[in-house]
Amino acid sequence: MAVSTVIYPLASTKDSRNAGENNGENGKQSTRVRLLALIKENPRITRASLSEQRGISSSNVQFHIEKLKSEGIIKRIGTP
């Protein structure tokens, strides 16, 4: 089992800007904020668990995780 570390920026930094809040994507921003909250509660949470808890598909969770990674909001550390 691979171990990952998630690094969270301060709330006043780019998480609110890059999660979609300022570009009219309120639904996507809301999903990302909720996913971040779940990841903060349990950094070892699985994509399947995130999908189940949020009521969205696993591929949708992956889309948002990739977006958060590309925006520098989260970072995976460990084996891919």
Side-chain angles (χ1 to χ4, degrees):
M1 175 183 197
V3 175
S4 298
T5 301
V6 179
I7 300 171
Y8 307 103
L10 296 174
S12 63
T13 61
K14 64 176 158 181
D15 65 339
S16 63
R17 290 190 309 270
N18 287 340
E21 182 175 326
N22 293 330
N23 63 8
E25 297 180 346
N26 291 333
K28 290 181 181 179
Q29 185 269 341
S30 177
T31 298
R32 291 182 193 143
V33 168
R34 290 181 177 134
L35 288 173
L36 278 172
L38 290 169
I39 293 168
K40 284 180 182 181
E41 286 177 22
N42 178 8
R44 293 180 177 221
I45 195 167
T46 65
R47 189 179 343 154
S49 183
L50 287 168
S51 172
E52 182 180 312
Q53 290 184 41
R54 289 294 307 129
I56 59 177
S57 69
S58 181
S59 61
N60 199 346
V61 169
Q62 184 62 30
F63 168 81
H64 288 290
I65 288 173
E66 291 301 323
K67 192 73 169 164
L68 290 166
K69 284 197 272 187
S70 72
E71 293 170 349
I73 295 171
I74 62 174
K75 180 179 179 182
R76 177 184 170 95
I77 298 174
T79 56

